Amino acid sequence: MTTIFDNPDEFAEDQLEGFLDLYADRLRGVPGGVVTLPSGEPQVAVVIGGGSGHYPAFAGTVGPGLATGAVVGNIFTSPSAAQAYSVAKAAEQGRGVIFSFGNYAGDNMNFGIAAERLRKEGIDARIVVVTDDIASADETERRRGIAGDFSVFKAMGAAAAEGLDIDEVERIGLASNAATRTLGVALSGCTMPGADSPLFSVPDGHLGLGLGIHGEPGIEDIPLMRANELAELLVSRLLAAAPADAGPRVAPIVNGLGTTKYEELFLLWRHIARLLREAGYEPVEPEVGELVTSLDMGGASLTLQWLDGELERLWRADAYTPAYRKQRAPIDALDADAVIGAGDGAEDAAAPEASAAAARLTGVAVDAIRALHAVVEEKEDELGRIDAVAGDGDHGRGMLKGASAALAVADSLPEGAGVGWSLGRIGRSWAANAGGTSGVLWGAALEALGASLGDTADEYTAADLADAIDAFCESIVDLGRASLGDKTLLDAALPFAEAFRAGVGKGASTAAAWRAASTVAVDAAAATAELRPRVGRARPLAEKSVGTPDAGATSFGMIVTAVADTLDR
């Protein structure tokens, strides 16, 4: 929802005033929009535009190597003919003007009127309309212009910067449009400033295929799908709509619509890149991010421009605008052939010779890791909810990432590996993959557990395990700088260690002592609900956390209980 505004009816004008102040060193405001400050030899003026709400389109892409000016209309509304004329007059440098915009009725009429007025004054004015959206019509001339706007603007802006005349810039714009295809999906609607509901909604569990960028819903609601399936859908449909003379090199854009996170777009690109290469295409300098948005709409689109030698040169050309900057020189200065090492290769070292007892104990440890992973996977959501009360809600996911990494290592251990070496690898994998505080603590603690047990003993006793559990806890104390009563996992781990040592000291079997100690840990974890956190991320929300147990202590109790079942077996 668009929540920051003064008078919603003046949102477009108000935001443009802030934009112009921010970029006053390179742009100037004129009635109806913005123009770039001139530099070098006069060139053909490429004037783009449309309604507001699409940033970076359109004002954000005005600058050297791209547009000369942008006409800025109201939210999702075509600018007037007077606005288009005003911006074009300010941008014109004696070599003519080319208007370019998406294929919408209001834009066609108003830019057309402005172009005719310019021609009557003796200014050569042309129009290049973008028609990239394959979902909107079968006939190319009836298609909407969406994120492919950028591809066409980029080609014409680079051509104008090269000093080409208006005939050539127009020809390149038309060729660029003919080579460009886009398909997008909407995940949620967008809300106009001052409105309390979105322009449309997507049914739960679905996405809208074939979105527009003016708050229009997709042409078809289809079930929500995984990223790899969405990539397959977008790529397959675009390739099926390729131009007749399409070559193997393409300039892709994965465009976010306003609220889709960049990380989601990166993930989507991961699959798109693979699919394109498998189909025999070579992606050329792909762009992933927000280039043509729709206020706060959730969703993404894929644009492909099929390149020939000319279009590739223009796609690669430098540009410098408020929202889009491409400079070749810094990249060319990098050593693409450099070999960059990572780590010290320790994880590739062979397992040292271990005693038979150490190798047998590795089997027990692997079973324990499997049990640990199973319970964390089952309780992920519950742990996240607990953590969200006074934290960031990531404990369940972080624990599952660590446990999954640990299980992957456990399942690939070489035959005969000792428990000390094995737990060291398991702990390092946990820490490397889980991240966050719990990842560091669990990883280091498992390493400490393994180091205490070692790989050379002829037999391992319950007392040896008690010492190893103490080492596990000491590692957490040293790293976390916490103590009993601070509302951390130590409030369950330390009572567990004490109860286990007491049990084996009274002659209980390892399994029986562990079972009894796990009950103590669960009770101790529940008791943390009455504590106030004194360390860690939850400390600033200490009062809010009262009444909710600590997520780390809770997960520890769950884990040792699950491992107790393994030891019983």
Side-chain angles (χ1 to χ4, degrees), residues 191-388:
T191 306
M192 299 284 280
D196 56 7
S197 60
L199 292 172
F200 73 94
S201 60
V202 179
D204 289 344
H206 288 72
L207 54 81
L209 177 64
L211 58 88
I213 58 167
H214 296 97
E216 309 101 321
I219 60 172
E220 177 187 1
D221 292 329
I222 61 176
L224 198 62
M225 57 188 69
R226 295 278 188 176
N228 63 320
E229 298 170 318
L230 177 56
E232 172 67 36
L233 173 67
L234 296 174
V235 170
S236 63
R237 296 212 180 183
L238 283 184
L239 295 185
D245 57 349
R249 297 174 70 79
V250 291
I253 296 173
V254 177
N255 177 60
L257 270 295
T259 58
T260 301
K261 301 294 183 290
Y262 271 65
E263 291 88 344
E264 295 175 273
L265 301 178
F266 298 153
L267 171 59
L268 186 59
W269 170 249
R270 169 177 173 253
H271 296 295
I272 289 170
R274 172 183 54 80
L275 291 167
L276 288 174
R277 292 183 178 114
E278 288 176 354
Y281 289 92
E282 180 59 34
V284 177
E285 296 188 5
E287 297 289 346
V288 177
E290 293 179 341
L291 291 173
V292 183
T293 62
S294 184
L295 286 178
D296 59 336
M297 184 187 288
S301 62
L302 173 62
T303 299
L304 295 178
Q305 183 179 84
W306 276 264
L307 301 174
D308 56 18
E310 180 177 62
L311 288 178
E312 181 167 340
R313 183 187 80 249
L314 299 171
W315 175 250
R316 289 178 176 273
D318 285 0
Y320 194 91
T321 75
Y324 180 81
R325 298 164 193 176
K326 175 178 281 191
Q327 292 181 299
R328 192 68 233 169
I331 303 300
D332 289 340
L334 301 176
D335 184 358
D337 297 321
V339 177
I340 301 175
D344 58 8
E347 294 304 316
D348 296 327
E353 186 175 350
S355 67
R360 285 195 299 272
L361 193 54
T362 296
V364 178
V366 169
D367 287 344
I369 293 295
R370 290 197 183 103
L372 178 157
H373 177 270
V375 71
V376 169
E377 185 175 44
E378 178 186 353
K379 303 295 186 180
E380 177 191 0
D381 291 343
E382 179 181 346
L383 293 171
R385 286 193 297 272
I386 293 171
D387 187 44

Side-chain angles (χ1 to χ4, degrees), residues 49-50 99-104 107-108 111-112 127-130 149 153:
F99 287 121
S100 190
F101 46 86
N103 187 26
Y104 298 92
D107 292 310
N108 278 297
F111 281 99
I127 291 177
V128 172
V129 182
V130 183
D149 284 358
F153 300 162

Side-chain angles (χ1 to χ4, degrees), residues 159-184:
E162 287 184 353
L164 300 183
D165 64 26
I166 193 168
D167 290 333
E168 282 295 281
V169 177
E170 180 186 35
R171 178 188 62 78
I172 286 167
L174 296 172
S176 176
N177 181 61
T180 303
R181 307 284 188 273
T182 301
L183 179 63

Side-chain angles (χ1 to χ4, degrees), residues 485-498:
D486 284 345
K487 197 164 188 176
T488 70
L489 74 88
L490 286 173
D491 290 306
L494 290 174
F496 173 83
E498 182 180 357

Side-chain angles (χ1 to χ4, degrees), residues 377-545:
E377 185 175 44
E378 178 186 353
K379 303 295 186 180
E380 177 191 0
D381 291 343
E382 179 181 346
L383 293 171
R385 286 193 297 272
I386 293 171
D387 187 44
V389 172
D392 54 8
D394 68 345
H395 184 70
R397 175 160 295 185
M399 287 293 290
L400 182 57
K401 287 198 72 173
S404 297
L407 181 60
V409 172
D411 285 340
S412 63
L413 292 171
E415 186 176 354
V419 67
W421 181 84
S422 298
L423 284 173
R425 287 177 65 88
I426 287 169
R428 286 190 292 275
S429 181
W430 185 307
N433 289 277
T437 303
S438 65
V440 174
L441 295 179
W442 269 91
L446 288 170
E447 278 199 80
L449 182 72
S452 177
L453 292 170
D455 292 325
T456 59
D458 292 329
E459 67 172 337
Y460 290 89
T461 66
D464 294 328
L465 183 54
D467 291 340
I469 293 169
D470 286 343
F472 180 100
C473 294
E474 288 167 8
S475 174
I476 295 173
V477 171
D478 290 342
L479 276 175
R481 305 299 183 193
S483 57
L484 201 65
D486 284 345
K487 197 164 188 176
T488 70
L489 74 88
L490 286 173
D491 290 306
L494 290 174
F496 173 83
E498 182 180 357
F500 181 80
R501 184 174 290 280
V504 298
K506 295 176 181 178
S509 68
T510 299
W514 187 289
R515 170 70 66 186
S518 66
T519 300
V520 171
V522 170
D523 292 342
T528 63
E530 303 309 313
L531 299 177
R532 289 170 173 77
R534 296 187 298 213
V535 297
R537 188 173 293 170
R539 183 175 59 82
L541 299 174
E543 294 303 319
K544 187 176 181 180
S545 77

